[in-house]
Amino acid sequence: MTGFAFERLRRRPDLEAPNLFAFDASDRLILDEAASDIAAHPDAVVAIGDRYGALTLGAAALHGATGIRSHQDALTGERALDANAHELALDGCFAHHELDAGLFRGAHTVLMQLPKSLDQLDEVAGLIAAHADPAVVVYAGGRIKHLTPAMNEVLGRHFGSVSATLARQKSRVLVARAPHAGEGEWPKREFHAELDLWVCAHGGAFAGTRLDIGTRFLLQFLEQVKADARTAIDLGCGTGILAAALKRSRPELEVLATDQSAAAVASARATMAANELDVTVMRDVGLGSRPDASADVVLLNPPFHAGSTVHSGLAQALFADAARVLRPGGELWTVFNSHLGYRPALQRTVGPTRVVGQSPKFTVTVSTAGLHHDLAKRDVRSMSSATGD
């Protein structure tokens, strides 16, 4: 098929901005380096970490791949791939898969955007080595500024041959052959005595089994959460620490943990199982599947990066979701790096916002939802009284 244009790819429904792109030179380089292997086995191609469809759709349109198996950690990535495929008339050339043995079984060519997390690379490489065809070739690429020698070492645990291509447009591809090791044990787990909780994590989960310092700070204030709350949501739950701690301390609460990351959702489910906690965990973009005015409390430790770019749009979208889903009088508890100064945005989007805790690095706020309208009505009544109406 001719006429495929990377420039037609869009990021939506993920953030779109002039400094955010749906593809880069590493996508082109991966496809160029893998071209002959894709052509030799067009029905045995797997794409991993394909951000918005460049690898999957490029393999189909440029090199004739069919039945491509795709795994993307971010749900926004899956939806962008679907939308881009439809826009480019490439529907049906791929299928979404979980990160498991079935994704790689019999695969001859694996196209991969290298993840930032070495643990994530280790988990993926182990699965490839254990389940792909013995002749599999892995083409794992990225921008040179994000590549490290440790990535070669991780791939070397699972493959007998790891080499690097020549650089092009500030990108490079690591090529791995001759799988030789098993997949390892995932998720990892760690007991945190201070919380009396097991924390479980797959390789792609933020902070792994550790307790990140922002979450640690917010945990200090959980006992102040709305006393008469019946339902609570851990929005962007990661490994599920906040949801687990809240359920442990308030067993009467109905708690939902949600994240758009497949690795986070799998990790949070494992955390709940390890601690025998009845918490529902689901994969969602923000709170897109939740009805309006359906929760009493939302807990949020928002991300401030879109990929490798610092961007406030992710947090703003999560604030808006929380405002919609909270019942009047409901509370949004947020922890964020103090320099980000989110309080005005929270006050504008959710409702009156007060600082309940501050350290040299982090700020914790609580925003009360549904009061803007009440305050506006009160202002109108006050004006009417003053004018004698």
Side-chain angles (χ1 to χ4, degrees):
M1 183 179 296
T2 59
F4 178 76
F6 288 93
E7 292 77 13
R8 292 181 63 188
L9 298 174
R10 300 287 299 276
R11 294 170 56 97
R12 63 185 181 213
D14 203 356
L15 292 174
E16 294 197 298
N19 64 330
L20 299 175
F21 305 97
F23 72 98
D24 63 30
S26 66
D27 293 305
R28 296 180 188 268
L29 185 57
I30 292 168
L31 289 167
D32 286 349
E33 293 290 339
S36 60
D37 280 314
I38 297 172
H41 300 281
D43 59 348
V45 177
V46 174
I48 299 290
D50 187 7
R51 292 161 296 196
Y52 303 100
L55 294 178
T56 303
L57 302 180
L62 300 173
H63 305 306
T66 60
I68 301 166
R69 285 168 271 172
S70 172
H71 175 77
Q72 295 159 282
D73 185 62
L75 185 52
T76 49
E78 285 189 11
R79 293 179 179 175
L81 171 53
D82 291 340
N84 285 322
H86 185 71
E87 175 68 22
L88 298 171
L90 289 168
D91 301 281
C93 70
F94 67 92
H96 299 294
H97 282 258
E98 300 290 332
L99 183 65
D100 58 18
L103 173 65
F104 298 107
R105 194 166 289 119
H108 278 266
T109 308
V110 177
L111 313 175
M112 183 194 307
Q113 277 289 342
L114 282 162
K116 292 186 292 184
S117 163
L118 294 177
D119 283 344
Q120 186 174 5
L121 180 58
D122 187 48
E123 183 174 12
V124 171
L127 283 166
I128 299 170
H131 302 289
D133 189 279
V136 68
V137 184
V138 180
Y139 295 89
R143 304 293 277 171
I144 289 174
K145 63 183 178 181
H146 301 310
L147 304 188
T148 67
M151 292 175 173
N152 299 60
E153 295 169 12
V154 170
L155 287 171
R157 295 175 198 162
H158 304 282
F159 295 90
S161 170
V162 179
S163 59
T165 67
L166 294 175
R168 190 178 80 192
Q169 293 182 289
K170 301 181 180 179
S171 300
R172 194 184 297 277
V173 175
L174 303 181
V175 182
R177 294 180 171 86
H180 62 65
E183 60 189 271
E185 282 191 31
W186 294 94
K188 306 296 185 187
R189 53 186 271 162
E190 179 180 350
F191 185 72
H192 291 263
E194 62 189 294
L195 303 177
D196 191 29
L197 287 174
W198 286 98
V199 176
C200 301
H202 284 272
F206 173 71
T209 59
R210 302 183 304 279
L211 175 59
D212 79 272
I213 53 179
T215 295
R216 183 189 297 275
F217 192 53
L218 179 53
L219 283 167
Q220 299 176 34
F221 303 94
L222 284 192
E223 63 183 19
Q224 299 179 37
V225 165
K226 190 173 172 62
D228 59 350
R230 303 187 310 277
T231 58
I233 300 173
D234 180 1
L235 173 55
C237 65
T239 56
I241 293 174
L242 288 172
L246 186 61
K247 184 66 175 180
R248 175 66 59 81
S249 64
R250 302 269 295 273
E252 77 284 358
L253 272 178
E254 178 184 329
V255 179
L256 169 69
T258 176
D259 204 296
Q260 76 145 330
S261 160
V265 168
S267 301
R269 285 176 178 157
T271 293
M272 302 314 157
N275 294 287
E276 300 182 340
L277 293 171
D278 183 17
V279 172
T280 300
V281 183
M282 66 178 295
R283 192 174 181 217
D284 200 359
V285 176
L287 296 173
S289 68
R290 308 308 301 165
D292 294 356
S294 59
D296 298 309
V297 171
V298 174
L299 307 177
L300 175 61
N301 181 359
F304 58 92
H305 283 87
S308 59
T309 304
V310 176
H311 201 287
S312 63
L314 289 171
Q316 299 286 350
L318 295 174
F319 299 161
D321 262 5
R324 179 184 61 79
V325 168
L326 282 168
R327 296 186 178 98
E331 296 177 344
L332 170 61
W333 287 77
T334 309
V335 60
F336 53 89
N337 291 74
S338 297
H339 73 273
L340 295 172
Y342 282 149
R343 185 181 178 188
L346 287 163
Q347 187 131 333
R348 184 171 58 251
T349 305
V350 183
T353 299
R354 59 188 175 89
V355 174
V356 294
Q358 200 157 33
S359 72
K361 188 171 180 62
F362 291 101
T363 296
V364 171
T365 60
V366 57
S367 308
T368 305
L371 296 188
H372 288 312
H373 185 56
D374 292 340
L375 290 171
K377 289 194 295 185
R378 190 183 311 157
D379 289 344
V380 169
R381 286 197 298 269
S382 299
M383 290 174 64
S384 296
S385 298
T387 58
D389 293 339

